[in-house]
Amino acid sequence: MSNTMDDRLTLVEERIRQACERAGRSREDVRIIAVTKYVSLETTREALRSGLKHLGENRWQDAQAKWNAISGGEPSIGEERPVWHFIGSLQTNKVKDVIGKFTYMHSLDRLPLAEAVNKRAQQLGIIVPCFIQVNVSGEDSKHGLTPEELHPFVERLRDYPGIEPVGLMTMAPYEAEPEQTRPVFRALRELRDELRARLPYAETIAHLSMGMSNDFEVAIEEGATWIRLGTILVGKEED
Ligand SMILES: *Cc1c(COP(=O)(O)O)cnc(C)c1O
């Protein structure tokens, strides 16, 4: 990509603003996670210089070097540190690497993982804000609970004080026509509303992590509060 990070951010900002306007939403209610999984440390630093504050990575092996370089040392005075979001599927044996370094977990999708995250959180004396991943589209290739599994799962999470469920996350199938993703995003919003209406302790489940480069405007129109942007914003570099 020949244009700069600042140019891309300006373009994306304008599209976010327009989507918010169409939906009658406030721009402040939508936050951007810059997904840096396809780019180098240098490009990640450029994203931070452009004012992006939230970074998303989906594999610890790939994220490790960037995390160490950016957040591993002592912060210098006045330095603002990014907030890291783990957005990929997480193996239980990687929990010890990720929890404590990544503030948010977007891919909580099974009890053994919740168990491991809770255990690590308690060792560290922290509470981890987590999104519960739901496979709304039902595609085999996608991780996440089925919509039917969601309520019982949320009830079980009460056993894990180291986890704070803050929202739901989903990935829509890639569609050449982004409008086609709307039912997936709408369904996630309805699942959130239903949870909060039915379960008094689900009050904290307020956020929706949904929308990527191809479909973020539709996701915003359907209520996304966190959008996860890789290619369109920070770009995609060949290895
Ligand atoms: C890679 C990835 C993204 C960003 O994808 P783009 O299409 O490049 O914006 C968002 N969410 C998850 C879970 C991802 O793995």
Side-chain angles (χ1 to χ4, degrees), residues 33 35 37-38 57-58 87-89 106 133 169-171 174 209 211-215 227-233 235-236:
I33 298 167
V35 177
K37 68 183 186 195
Y38 301 124
E57 286 278 341
N58 70 336
I87 61 171
S89 124
H106 286 249
Q133 186 169 357
M169 180 274 214
T170 201
M171 288 174 80
Y174 177 85
S209 167
M212 311 183 3
S213 290
N214 186 54
D215 52 24
I227 54 176
R228 310 180 306 265
L229 303 179
T231 319
I232 201 173
L233 182 58
K236 193 168 183 169

PDB file of all heavy atoms in Angstrom, residues 33 35 37-38 57-58 87-89 106 133 169-171 174 209 211-215 227-233 235-236, ligand 1:
ATOM      1  N   ILE A  33      -9.784  -1.421  17.230  1.00  0.00           N
ATOM      2  CA  ILE A  33      -8.621  -2.251  17.540  1.00  0.00           C
ATOM      3  C   ILE A  33      -7.825  -2.379  16.236  1.00  0.00           C
ATOM      4  O   ILE A  33      -8.357  -2.854  15.229  1.00  0.00           O
ATOM      5  CB  ILE A  33      -9.041  -3.646  18.034  1.00  0.00           C
ATOM      6  CG1 ILE A  33      -9.847  -3.526  19.328  1.00  0.00           C
ATOM      7  CG2 ILE A  33      -7.810  -4.534  18.230  1.00  0.00           C
ATOM      8  CD1 ILE A  33     -10.557  -4.824  19.716  1.00  0.00           C
ATOM      9  N   VAL A  35      -5.519  -4.276  14.158  1.00  0.00           N
ATOM     10  CA  VAL A  35      -5.057  -5.663  14.134  1.00  0.00           C
ATOM     11  C   VAL A  35      -3.725  -5.716  13.383  1.00  0.00           C
ATOM     12  O   VAL A  35      -3.673  -5.488  12.174  1.00  0.00           O
ATOM     13  CB  VAL A  35      -6.106  -6.589  13.495  1.00  0.00           C
ATOM     14  CG1 VAL A  35      -5.590  -8.017  13.420  1.00  0.00           C
ATOM     15  CG2 VAL A  35      -7.414  -6.536  14.291  1.00  0.00           C
ATOM     16  N   LYS A  37      -1.561  -8.271  13.163  1.00  0.00           N
ATOM     17  CA  LYS A  37      -1.046  -9.625  12.924  1.00  0.00           C
ATOM     18  C   LYS A  37      -0.343  -9.794  11.581  1.00  0.00           C
ATOM     19  O   LYS A  37       0.472 -10.673  11.431  1.00  0.00           O
ATOM     20  CB  LYS A  37      -2.177 -10.642  13.050  1.00  0.00           C
ATOM     21  CG  LYS A  37      -3.218 -10.535  11.960  1.00  0.00           C
ATOM     22  CD  LYS A  37      -4.356 -11.527  12.180  1.00  0.00           C
ATOM     23  CE  LYS A  37      -5.316 -11.501  11.013  1.00  0.00           C
ATOM     24  NZ  LYS A  37      -6.587 -12.153  11.315  1.00  0.00           N
ATOM     25  N   TYR A  38      -0.676  -8.957  10.604  1.00  0.00           N
ATOM     26  CA  TYR A  38      -0.052  -9.096   9.283  1.00  0.00           C
ATOM     27  C   TYR A  38       1.151  -8.183   9.094  1.00  0.00           C
ATOM     28  O   TYR A  38       1.706  -8.131   8.016  1.00  0.00           O
ATOM     29  CB  TYR A  38      -1.040  -8.716   8.183  1.00  0.00           C
ATOM     30  CG  TYR A  38      -2.330  -9.501   8.118  1.00  0.00           C
ATOM     31  CD1 TYR A  38      -3.553  -8.838   8.174  1.00  0.00           C
ATOM     32  CD2 TYR A  38      -2.321 -10.880   7.940  1.00  0.00           C
ATOM     33  CE1 TYR A  38      -4.742  -9.535   8.072  1.00  0.00           C
ATOM     34  CE2 TYR A  38      -3.508 -11.576   7.842  1.00  0.00           C
ATOM     35  CZ  TYR A  38      -4.716 -10.901   7.907  1.00  0.00           C
ATOM     36  OH  TYR A  38      -5.886 -11.591   7.801  1.00  0.00           O
ATOM     37  N   GLU A  57      -3.899  -8.937  18.266  1.00  0.00           N
ATOM     38  CA  GLU A  57      -3.083 -10.008  17.679  1.00  0.00           C
ATOM     39  C   GLU A  57      -3.819 -11.321  17.905  1.00  0.00           C
ATOM     40  O   GLU A  57      -4.539 -11.477  18.895  1.00  0.00           O
ATOM     41  CB  GLU A  57      -1.711 -10.084  18.364  1.00  0.00           C
ATOM     42  CG  GLU A  57      -0.758  -8.952  17.990  1.00  0.00           C
ATOM     43  CD  GLU A  57      -0.030  -9.170  16.665  1.00  0.00           C
ATOM     44  OE1 GLU A  57       0.041 -10.325  16.182  1.00  0.00           O
ATOM     45  OE2 GLU A  57       0.480  -8.174  16.113  1.00  0.00           O
ATOM     46  N   ASN A  58      -3.619 -12.278  17.006  1.00  0.00           N
ATOM     47  CA  ASN A  58      -4.373 -13.522  17.159  1.00  0.00           C
ATOM     48  C   ASN A  58      -3.526 -14.754  17.455  1.00  0.00           C
ATOM     49  O   ASN A  58      -4.065 -15.833  17.663  1.00  0.00           O
ATOM     50  CB  ASN A  58      -5.260 -13.779  15.942  1.00  0.00           C
ATOM     51  CG  ASN A  58      -4.460 -14.124  14.713  1.00  0.00           C
ATOM     52  OD1 ASN A  58      -3.290 -13.760  14.620  1.00  0.00           O
ATOM     53  ND2 ASN A  58      -5.071 -14.822  13.776  1.00  0.00           N
ATOM     54  N   ILE A  87      -7.212 -11.667  20.086  1.00  0.00           N
ATOM     55  CA  ILE A  87      -8.434 -11.869  19.287  1.00  0.00           C
ATOM     56  C   ILE A  87      -8.507 -13.243  18.632  1.00  0.00           C
ATOM     57  O   ILE A  87      -9.500 -13.557  17.989  1.00  0.00           O
ATOM     58  CB  ILE A  87      -8.567 -10.773  18.194  1.00  0.00           C
ATOM     59  CG1 ILE A  87      -7.388 -10.824  17.220  1.00  0.00           C
ATOM     60  CG2 ILE A  87      -8.678  -9.389  18.838  1.00  0.00           C
ATOM     61  CD1 ILE A  87      -7.574  -9.915  16.012  1.00  0.00           C
ATOM     62  N   GLY A  88      -7.459 -14.051  18.804  1.00  0.00           N
ATOM     63  CA  GLY A  88      -7.450 -15.350  18.136  1.00  0.00           C
ATOM     64  C   GLY A  88      -7.879 -16.467  19.066  1.00  0.00           C
ATOM     65  O   GLY A  88      -8.036 -16.257  20.267  1.00  0.00           O
ATOM     66  N   SER A  89      -8.041 -17.622  18.502  1.00  0.00           N
ATOM     67  CA  SER A  89      -8.396 -18.746  19.356  1.00  0.00           C
ATOM     68  C   SER A  89      -7.168 -19.099  20.206  1.00  0.00           C
ATOM     69  O   SER A  89      -6.035 -19.084  19.736  1.00  0.00           O
ATOM     70  CB  SER A  89      -8.908 -19.885  18.478  1.00  0.00           C
ATOM     71  OG  SER A  89      -8.163 -21.032  18.702  1.00  0.00           O
ATOM     72  N   HIS A 106     -10.724 -11.777  23.499  1.00  0.00           N
ATOM     73  CA  HIS A 106     -11.951 -11.707  22.680  1.00  0.00           C
ATOM     74  C   HIS A 106     -12.480 -13.079  22.291  1.00  0.00           C
ATOM     75  O   HIS A 106     -13.419 -13.169  21.522  1.00  0.00           O
ATOM     76  CB  HIS A 106     -11.682 -10.905  21.398  1.00  0.00           C
ATOM     77  CG  HIS A 106     -11.567  -9.441  21.632  1.00  0.00           C
ATOM     78  ND1 HIS A 106     -12.501  -8.531  21.185  1.00  0.00           N
ATOM     79  CD2 HIS A 106     -10.629  -8.716  22.299  1.00  0.00           C
ATOM     80  CE1 HIS A 106     -12.141  -7.313  21.547  1.00  0.00           C
ATOM     81  NE2 HIS A 106     -11.005  -7.390  22.216  1.00  0.00           N
ATOM     82  N   GLN A 133     -16.934 -15.574  22.598  1.00  0.00           N
ATOM     83  CA  GLN A 133     -17.064 -15.711  21.138  1.00  0.00           C
ATOM     84  C   GLN A 133     -18.227 -16.621  20.789  1.00  0.00           C
ATOM     85  O   GLN A 133     -18.351 -17.731  21.311  1.00  0.00           O
ATOM     86  CB  GLN A 133     -15.765 -16.249  20.540  1.00  0.00           C
ATOM     87  CG  GLN A 133     -15.809 -16.264  19.008  1.00  0.00           C
ATOM     88  CD  GLN A 133     -14.454 -16.543  18.372  1.00  0.00           C
ATOM     89  OE1 GLN A 133     -13.439 -16.672  19.057  1.00  0.00           O
ATOM     90  NE2 GLN A 133     -14.444 -16.633  17.052  1.00  0.00           N
ATOM     91  N   MET A 169     -18.419 -11.555  21.065  1.00  0.00           N
ATOM     92  CA  MET A 169     -17.600 -11.354  19.872  1.00  0.00           C
ATOM     93  C   MET A 169     -18.043 -12.340  18.804  1.00  0.00           C
ATOM     94  O   MET A 169     -18.422 -13.476  19.112  1.00  0.00           O
ATOM     95  CB  MET A 169     -16.130 -11.595  20.240  1.00  0.00           C
ATOM     96  CG  MET A 169     -15.142 -11.420  19.102  1.00  0.00           C
ATOM     97  SD  MET A 169     -14.907 -12.918  18.078  1.00  0.00           S
ATOM     98  CE  MET A 169     -13.191 -12.753  17.643  1.00  0.00           C
ATOM     99  N   THR A 170     -18.036 -11.908  17.558  1.00  0.00           N
ATOM    100  CA  THR A 170     -18.259 -12.857  16.474  1.00  0.00           C
ATOM    101  C   THR A 170     -17.468 -12.442  15.247  1.00  0.00           C
ATOM    102  O   THR A 170     -16.993 -11.309  15.135  1.00  0.00           O
ATOM    103  CB  THR A 170     -19.759 -12.997  16.116  1.00  0.00           C
ATOM    104  OG1 THR A 170     -19.958 -14.239  15.431  1.00  0.00           O
ATOM    105  CG2 THR A 170     -20.267 -11.866  15.231  1.00  0.00           C
ATOM    106  N   MET A 171     -17.302 -13.397  14.339  1.00  0.00           N
ATOM    107  CA  MET A 171     -16.722 -13.136  13.020  1.00  0.00           C
ATOM    108  C   MET A 171     -17.781 -13.524  11.996  1.00  0.00           C
ATOM    109  O   MET A 171     -18.308 -14.632  12.051  1.00  0.00           O
ATOM    110  CB  MET A 171     -15.473 -13.983  12.803  1.00  0.00           C
ATOM    111  CG  MET A 171     -14.287 -13.531  13.627  1.00  0.00           C
ATOM    112  SD  MET A 171     -12.886 -14.659  13.474  1.00  0.00           S
ATOM    113  CE  MET A 171     -12.200 -14.118  11.903  1.00  0.00           C
ATOM    114  N   TYR A 174     -16.750 -14.181   5.256  1.00  0.00           N
ATOM    115  CA  TYR A 174     -16.381 -13.169   4.275  1.00  0.00           C
ATOM    116  C   TYR A 174     -17.451 -13.125   3.182  1.00  0.00           C
ATOM    117  O   TYR A 174     -17.851 -14.148   2.641  1.00  0.00           O
ATOM    118  CB  TYR A 174     -15.013 -13.466   3.638  1.00  0.00           C
ATOM    119  CG  TYR A 174     -14.698 -12.437   2.588  1.00  0.00           C
ATOM    120  CD1 TYR A 174     -14.114 -11.232   2.946  1.00  0.00           C
ATOM    121  CD2 TYR A 174     -15.062 -12.639   1.251  1.00  0.00           C
ATOM    122  CE1 TYR A 174     -13.882 -10.252   1.992  1.00  0.00           C
ATOM    123  CE2 TYR A 174     -14.836 -11.655   0.293  1.00  0.00           C
ATOM    124  CZ  TYR A 174     -14.244 -10.471   0.675  1.00  0.00           C
ATOM    125  OH  TYR A 174     -14.023  -9.493  -0.261  1.00  0.00           O
ATOM    126  N   SER A 209     -17.969  -6.994  20.050  1.00  0.00           N
ATOM    127  CA  SER A 209     -16.744  -6.958  19.260  1.00  0.00           C
ATOM    128  C   SER A 209     -17.055  -7.615  17.922  1.00  0.00           C
ATOM    129  O   SER A 209     -17.138  -8.839  17.820  1.00  0.00           O
ATOM    130  CB  SER A 209     -15.639  -7.732  20.005  1.00  0.00           C
ATOM    131  OG  SER A 209     -14.529  -7.978  19.162  1.00  0.00           O
ATOM    132  N   GLY A 211     -17.039  -6.827  13.338  1.00  0.00           N
ATOM    133  CA  GLY A 211     -16.727  -5.969  12.208  1.00  0.00           C
ATOM    134  C   GLY A 211     -15.235  -5.956  11.949  1.00  0.00           C
ATOM    135  O   GLY A 211     -14.437  -5.741  12.863  1.00  0.00           O
ATOM    136  N   MET A 212     -14.867  -6.268  10.697  1.00  0.00           N
ATOM    137  CA  MET A 212     -13.473  -6.284  10.268  1.00  0.00           C
ATOM    138  C   MET A 212     -13.362  -5.398   9.023  1.00  0.00           C
ATOM    139  O   MET A 212     -14.301  -4.688   8.685  1.00  0.00           O
ATOM    140  CB  MET A 212     -13.015  -7.723   9.996  1.00  0.00           C
ATOM    141  CG  MET A 212     -13.392  -8.627  11.130  1.00  0.00           C
ATOM    142  SD  MET A 212     -12.912 -10.387  11.128  1.00  0.00           S
ATOM    143  CE  MET A 212     -11.932 -10.679   9.702  1.00  0.00           C
ATOM    144  N   SER A 213     -12.221  -5.456   8.347  1.00  0.00           N
ATOM    145  CA  SER A 213     -12.004  -4.537   7.217  1.00  0.00           C
ATOM    146  C   SER A 213     -13.155  -4.537   6.220  1.00  0.00           C
ATOM    147  O   SER A 213     -13.573  -3.502   5.725  1.00  0.00           O
ATOM    148  CB  SER A 213     -10.717  -4.910   6.478  1.00  0.00           C
ATOM    149  OG  SER A 213      -9.605  -4.602   7.283  1.00  0.00           O
ATOM    150  N   ASN A 214     -13.666  -5.723   5.936  1.00  0.00           N
ATOM    151  CA  ASN A 214     -14.643  -5.846   4.868  1.00  0.00           C
ATOM    152  C   ASN A 214     -16.061  -5.437   5.265  1.00  0.00           C
ATOM    153  O   ASN A 214     -16.871  -5.124   4.410  1.00  0.00           O
ATOM    154  CB  ASN A 214     -14.663  -7.300   4.373  1.00  0.00           C
ATOM    155  CG  ASN A 214     -15.543  -7.488   3.165  1.00  0.00           C
ATOM    156  OD1 ASN A 214     -15.372  -6.785   2.171  1.00  0.00           O
ATOM    157  ND2 ASN A 214     -16.486  -8.393   3.254  1.00  0.00           N
ATOM    158  N   ASP A 215     -16.339  -5.474   6.567  1.00  0.00           N
ATOM    159  CA  ASP A 215     -17.751  -5.356   6.957  1.00  0.00           C
ATOM    160  C   ASP A 215     -17.992  -4.450   8.162  1.00  0.00           C
ATOM    161  O   ASP A 215     -19.034  -4.517   8.794  1.00  0.00           O
ATOM    162  CB  ASP A 215     -18.323  -6.760   7.217  1.00  0.00           C
ATOM    163  CG  ASP A 215     -17.476  -7.570   8.188  1.00  0.00           C
ATOM    164  OD1 ASP A 215     -16.744  -6.954   8.989  1.00  0.00           O
ATOM    165  OD2 ASP A 215     -17.530  -8.820   8.146  1.00  0.00           O
ATOM    166  N   ILE A 227     -14.516  -2.482  16.838  1.00  0.00           N
ATOM    167  CA  ILE A 227     -14.297  -3.065  15.518  1.00  0.00           C
ATOM    168  C   ILE A 227     -12.820  -3.439  15.416  1.00  0.00           C
ATOM    169  O   ILE A 227     -11.966  -2.782  15.995  1.00  0.00           O
ATOM    170  CB  ILE A 227     -14.719  -2.113  14.370  1.00  0.00           C
ATOM    171  CG1 ILE A 227     -14.037  -0.740  14.498  1.00  0.00           C
ATOM    172  CG2 ILE A 227     -16.250  -1.944  14.358  1.00  0.00           C
ATOM    173  CD1 ILE A 227     -14.342   0.197  13.336  1.00  0.00           C
ATOM    174  N   ARG A 228     -12.535  -4.507  14.701  1.00  0.00           N
ATOM    175  CA  ARG A 228     -11.175  -5.049  14.632  1.00  0.00           C
ATOM    176  C   ARG A 228     -10.657  -4.900  13.201  1.00  0.00           C
ATOM    177  O   ARG A 228     -11.058  -5.647  12.317  1.00  0.00           O
ATOM    178  CB  ARG A 228     -11.182  -6.523  15.059  1.00  0.00           C
ATOM    179  CG  ARG A 228     -11.916  -6.780  16.399  1.00  0.00           C
ATOM    180  CD  ARG A 228     -11.880  -8.265  16.748  1.00  0.00           C
ATOM    181  NE  ARG A 228     -12.391  -9.087  15.672  1.00  0.00           N
ATOM    182  CZ  ARG A 228     -13.647  -9.523  15.570  1.00  0.00           C
ATOM    183  NH1 ARG A 228     -14.540  -9.232  16.498  1.00  0.00           N
ATOM    184  NH2 ARG A 228     -14.025 -10.258  14.545  1.00  0.00           N
ATOM    185  N   LEU A 229      -9.775  -3.931  12.989  1.00  0.00           N
ATOM    186  CA  LEU A 229      -9.360  -3.607  11.630  1.00  0.00           C
ATOM    187  C   LEU A 229      -7.899  -3.914  11.374  1.00  0.00           C
ATOM    188  O   LEU A 229      -7.011  -3.349  12.007  1.00  0.00           O
ATOM    189  CB  LEU A 229      -9.618  -2.126  11.344  1.00  0.00           C
ATOM    190  CG  LEU A 229     -11.065  -1.634  11.521  1.00  0.00           C
ATOM    191  CD1 LEU A 229     -11.155  -0.139  11.230  1.00  0.00           C
ATOM    192  CD2 LEU A 229     -12.025  -2.421  10.625  1.00  0.00           C
ATOM    193  N   GLY A 230      -7.670  -4.818  10.428  1.00  0.00           N
ATOM    194  CA  GLY A 230      -6.312  -5.154  10.017  1.00  0.00           C
ATOM    195  C   GLY A 230      -5.982  -4.526   8.675  1.00  0.00           C
ATOM    196  O   GLY A 230      -5.531  -3.380   8.583  1.00  0.00           O
ATOM    197  N   THR A 231      -6.241  -5.286   7.621  1.00  0.00           N
ATOM    198  CA  THR A 231      -5.851  -4.919   6.257  1.00  0.00           C
ATOM    199  C   THR A 231      -6.140  -3.466   5.876  1.00  0.00           C
ATOM    200  O   THR A 231      -5.274  -2.765   5.363  1.00  0.00           O
ATOM    201  CB  THR A 231      -6.587  -5.844   5.261  1.00  0.00           C
ATOM    202  OG1 THR A 231      -6.583  -7.165   5.795  1.00  0.00           O
ATOM    203  CG2 THR A 231      -5.910  -5.832   3.917  1.00  0.00           C
ATOM    204  N   ILE A 232      -7.331  -3.013   6.129  1.00  0.00           N
ATOM    205  CA  ILE A 232      -7.739  -1.695   5.635  1.00  0.00           C
ATOM    206  C   ILE A 232      -7.029  -0.563   6.369  1.00  0.00           C
ATOM    207  O   ILE A 232      -6.870   0.535   5.837  1.00  0.00           O
ATOM    208  CB  ILE A 232      -9.275  -1.542   5.781  1.00  0.00           C
ATOM    209  CG1 ILE A 232      -9.793  -0.456   4.844  1.00  0.00           C
ATOM    210  CG2 ILE A 232      -9.688  -1.263   7.211  1.00  0.00           C
ATOM    211  CD1 ILE A 232     -11.304  -0.380   4.816  1.00  0.00           C
ATOM    212  N   LEU A 233      -6.555  -0.843   7.559  1.00  0.00           N
ATOM    213  CA  LEU A 233      -6.008   0.223   8.395  1.00  0.00           C
ATOM    214  C   LEU A 233      -4.486   0.159   8.531  1.00  0.00           C
ATOM    215  O   LEU A 233      -3.784   1.111   8.199  1.00  0.00           O
ATOM    216  CB  LEU A 233      -6.676   0.163   9.775  1.00  0.00           C
ATOM    217  CG  LEU A 233      -6.274   1.228  10.783  1.00  0.00           C
ATOM    218  CD1 LEU A 233      -6.547   2.632  10.240  1.00  0.00           C
ATOM    219  CD2 LEU A 233      -7.006   1.025  12.101  1.00  0.00           C
ATOM    220  N   GLY A 235      -2.716  -2.373   7.174  1.00  0.00           N
ATOM    221  CA  GLY A 235      -2.198  -3.017   5.970  1.00  0.00           C
ATOM    222  C   GLY A 235      -1.852  -4.469   6.195  1.00  0.00           C
ATOM    223  O   GLY A 235      -2.094  -5.046   7.254  1.00  0.00           O
ATOM    224  N   LYS A 236      -1.322  -5.035   5.139  1.00  0.00           N
ATOM    225  CA  LYS A 236      -0.968  -6.461   5.148  1.00  0.00           C
ATOM    226  C   LYS A 236       0.364  -6.567   4.413  1.00  0.00           C
ATOM    227  O   LYS A 236       0.464  -6.197   3.253  1.00  0.00           O
ATOM    228  CB  LYS A 236      -2.070  -7.235   4.419  1.00  0.00           C
ATOM    229  CG  LYS A 236      -2.033  -8.720   4.600  1.00  0.00           C
ATOM    230  CD  LYS A 236      -3.327  -9.331   4.071  1.00  0.00           C
ATOM    231  CE  LYS A 236      -3.348 -10.805   4.311  1.00  0.00           C
ATOM    232  NZ  LYS A 236      -4.693 -11.378   4.040  1.00  0.00           N
TER     233      LYS A 236
HETATM  234  C1  LIG B   1      -7.315 -10.947  11.262  1.00  0.00           C
HETATM  235  C2  LIG B   1      -8.464 -10.652  12.123  1.00  0.00           C
HETATM  236  C3  LIG B   1      -9.128  -9.422  12.026  1.00  0.00           C
HETATM  237  C4  LIG B   1      -8.750  -8.339  11.030  1.00  0.00           C
HETATM  238  O1  LIG B   1      -8.958  -8.766   9.729  1.00  0.00           O
HETATM  239  P1  LIG B   1      -8.985  -7.748   8.503  1.00  0.00           P
HETATM  240  O2  LIG B   1      -9.956  -8.348   7.569  1.00  0.00           O
HETATM  241  O3  LIG B   1      -7.607  -7.707   7.960  1.00  0.00           O
HETATM  242  O4  LIG B   1      -9.456  -6.430   9.010  1.00  0.00           O
HETATM  243  C5  LIG B   1     -10.176  -9.206  12.896  1.00  0.00           C
HETATM  244  N1  LIG B   1     -10.572 -10.122  13.783  1.00  0.00           N
HETATM  245  C6  LIG B   1      -9.962 -11.304  13.907  1.00  0.00           C
HETATM  246  C7  LIG B   1     -10.448 -12.273  14.926  1.00  0.00           C
HETATM  247  C8  LIG B   1      -8.896 -11.615  13.079  1.00  0.00           C
HETATM  248  O5  LIG B   1      -8.291 -12.811  13.205  1.00  0.00           O
END
